[in-house]
Amino acid sequence: MSFNAVTSSFKVTRRRKTPLAETLQVGALAGFAAIGFALIGAYVAMDKRHVVEDTLTLSQIAFALMAIAAGYVAGRDRQGRPSGTRVVVHGAVAGLTAGLCVSALVLLMGSVSLRATLVAASPMLIKALSLGAPIGSLQALVQLPALGALLGVIGGLFAAMPSRYRRALTYGFAFVLIAGLFRDVFVSVLDNLPDLNGPDWEVFGPGGLNRGSALLLLVGGALFCLVRDRWNAQIDPARRARSSKAGLALLLVGVLVLPLVTNDFVAQVAMLVALYMLMGMGLNIELGLAGLVDLGFVAFFAVGAYTVALMCSSGPLAVADVSFWVALPVAVVLAAGAGMLFGLPVLRVRGDYLAMATLGLGEIIRVLVLSDALAPYLGGSQGIIEIDHPRIFGVSLQSPAALYYLALALAGVVAFISWRLQHARIGRAWLAMREDEDVAQALGIDPVASKLLAYTIGAAFAGAAGAVFAALVGSVYPHSFQLLVSINVLAILVIGGLGSLPGVLVGAIVLIGLPELLREFGEFRYLFYGIALVAMMHVRAEGLWPATTQTQENARA
Amino acid sequence: MSEVPRSATEPGAFSEWLRRSTWVDHVLLAIRISVAALVLVGLAGGLTAGTYSAADFVSFTMFGLTIGSIYALIALGYTMVYGILRMINFAHGDVMMIGSFAGLFAAGALNDAGLLNALPLLALPLVLAAGMAGGATMSLIIERIAYRPFLHVRSLAPLICAIGMSFVLQYAARGLFGTRNRAYPGFGWMEGTVSLFGLIVPIPQIVAFIAALIVLAGLLALVKLSPLGKAMRAVAEDRDAAALVGINVGAVIVATFAIGGAMAGVAGVLYALVFKQITVFMGFALGVKGFAAAILGGIGNLGGALLGGLVLGLAEALGPALVLEGFGLPAPYQLKDVIGYGMLVMILIFRPQGLLGERLASKRA
């Protein structure tokens, strides 16, 4: 479904305020965001994660980014071009406002106990927000607005500098942030590699980057960006295309050797990413290509998982005890059958109604599986346990790395099928139907048949993912098949880009991989998903890696 | 939509249907017949099983009417927003949750002030007002973030934004208020039961039912009689034409969201009074049920929302005892939600215009 079809001439225009009022508003928004961040408990949780050892924690960076962003937005004038004094003054005012908001929160928490209402407003939060100053002292209250103003000015200056340097700084900062956040991954890689950097110079401390290496990374990242930009400007487009192909190949190699050079935990996370890619590609056919909003997608995942569980388990509920390789096709076929069965009645419903109908179907399946009525067959809330691991040439695939390769191989097959389908006649029919069903029908596309095919194929892919999931975990429980899974997959597609295959990969890495690796993040991942969905629709509705047709359309428009 | 024969007496109607129908129509007809058969068999079995006495059924009915009136209040928000924007506010259930928590904090403050025990009948409207204010505020925020920026385009963006907002609300509330169940303090006088026409009914159910009816009557009066209601109906009819005759469409949309959110807030407070405990995750399932009620009654139709809510509430309360019991299933009340969701799916498939059908429903869907 395109994001720019105009249906009504009625359009809302924003009222313009005076520049100072807008700056104050931006500052207050940043302040409220910071207060919200603190009060949901994220500040205290993320304060434990050091990005730069003993210097900067993740939550301090988050707060600083809010102030800098406020300064950046306030520093720009209406045309988006910065001008001298405005940058400094407005940046400072915005940052100051944000800081004052947080100070007010600290003051309030110090004088009134809010804990009965807001569980996160704890003494720990006050201590963390005092930044080492004595709690309740004047210094603790004044330093936040002062820091805010300083960071706001930095944000303003950031808006004023030439875009070349802005990009370079962003790169350097991103390098530091990534290295600091994923310390464990990099450390495990460094441990597996031969000792290159010598024993007396460590890049990472016990919690995050060391100060020296952080500075080095910041400068290195910035220089890398500058050099690359210069390089890109000089060479011709053909060679640039070749170098982007080389980048893709490098990524592929990285994906292949990833579990070998890191530890089991990372391999497990990579497995989850591959699993969600499988599901993502399934929903991509339904939602991305055919435009069918399916919130009951998890039902097909459950069908696949329970099929394998029943066929491969050595527990009392098993109906057969066959190898995973026999059960896998059965699971895929059964899931596809379920898709067809569900699809037939539901597919006459359109748009928002379809979302609700599929959601209802998915919930019905979950409640049924959970109920005592079906417990003799499906185990109820006890689930099915003791599912055999798949074997290949007599070797049992048990380690996370082996299962990762299994999921990756399946994802590769499914990606190939999706890619061929997308460019086949039926793929074009789906796209046509997504854009306008009535017109597509007038052009001779059978809407029922093509929708049903999309739904069936999508369900089959989800069934394959469910089969791998059952083999991976070794047990299935109804609580693994909540609506949240469907929302996860939907979010992956939206973040990556609807209808885009590489987008599925990007979305799965961003939404599944990153929160798993950032343990402090785990509690807030769904909040993050929600914010990501909303922000994506506002900022970049076509996704991080948009489908090619979408980019072409946008270029033409 | 398939051409269903208009009257059985019309000559050749059946053969005409056979000629025009496709295999999909046949499958759908088969589904209809099998669902009807299942319900009938279950009903017969349930009636003959005799597990429950007449008094049980009466109390089930009372309970169904109570929960139904809460569904109806939620459904109003869906129906009003859908009537004007042709979009579902996916986060509406979570608006209800926020309203419920706003009521909780108001009740806590009133209880600390001793007002709740001293003047219970004054305190209840105050708590309801807090719930309304909380719900309306949250609804306005959702409108501002998820709907207003996408008003002039047709796309998936508002739906996806609203799904995102639903998650933001649930998990932000989890972080803010904690995961444990909460109960309203100081409503001790609601513990008892009263005898009404020879029936014993818990007080909260009566309070909830009456409060819901009062609020609904107020809303109907607002929409039918006030200038704002007139403007709302005009915008629902045709947004561009309404703008042409000088109606401030943006303001009407904002007012609609605010009123819908206030209704959801009332529903949240009443829910807390009847069920005695609230959690941050309760909004989702109740939101889906409210939507089912809105569809059942005919979306865009305020009276339909009331009817749909009551029918859905009764079906959920009576269904497990009447129908599922007939199949001899263990623990039929676990499957209460299957009835609610099943009705939602069935209505969406077979009668998207609902009970009090609106002609254009299928085209607008």
Side-chain angles (χ1 to χ4, degrees), chain A residues 5 7-10 39-40 116-119 344-345 348 352-353 356-357 371-372 483-484 523 526-527 530 537-538, chain B residues 25 27-28 88 105 145 149 152-154 157 164 167-168 171 174-176 178 182 240 249 284 291 299 334 348 365:
Chain A
T7 54
S8 162
S9 51
F10 173 71
L39 284 182
I40 58 169
T117 313
L118 303 166
V119 288
L344 253 184
R348 296 200 159 184
D352 290 14
Y353 275 24
M356 278 293 185
S371 71
D372 284 350
L483 173 84
L484 281 178
E523 203 183 323
Y526 291 108
L527 184 63
M537 282 295 113
H538 282 271
Chain B
D25 294 313
V27 174
L28 288 183
I88 298 169
F105 300 136
I145 293 177
H152 64 291
V153 296
R154 175 188 61 88
F167 273 72
V168 171
Y171 286 87
R174 188 182 99 147
L176 290 172
R182 305 270 197 125
D240 285 347
V249 176
F284 172 73
F291 175 75
I299 200 147
Q334 285 179 343
L348 282 177

Side-chain angles (χ1 to χ4, degrees), chain A residues 49-53 56-58 61 176-177 179-181 207-210:
Chain A
R49 167 72 96 172
H50 287 254
V51 174
V52 181
E53 198 71 38
L56 268 180
T57 65
L58 181 54
I61 288 187
V176 173
L177 196 62
L181 285 182
L209 282 167
N210 283 326

Side-chain angles (χ1 to χ4, degrees), chain B residues 91-161:
Chain B
H92 194 64
D94 302 295
V95 171
M96 188 215 84
M97 178 270 291
I98 296 289
S100 196
F101 272 86
L104 171 75
F105 300 136
L110 289 173
N111 194 36
D112 292 344
L115 205 63
L116 217 48
N117 286 319
L119 297 163
L121 284 182
L122 178 70
L124 182 64
L126 284 180
V127 172
L128 280 175
M132 287 172 86
T137 312
M138 195 38 76
S139 198
L140 286 182
I141 293 175
I142 289 171
E143 192 266 345
R144 181 72 188 78
I145 293 177
Y147 290 89
R148 203 184 303 173
F150 308 110
L151 259 188
H152 64 291
V153 296
R154 175 188 61 88
S155 75
L156 283 175
L159 178 68
I160 291 171
C161 262

Side-chain angles (χ1 to χ4, degrees), chain B residues 93 96-97 100-101 268 271 277-287:
Chain B
M96 188 215 84
M97 178 270 291
S100 196
F101 272 86
Y271 179 88
Q277 59 177 11
I278 56 176
T279 73
V280 293
F281 294 117
M282 69 180 187
F284 172 73
L286 282 165

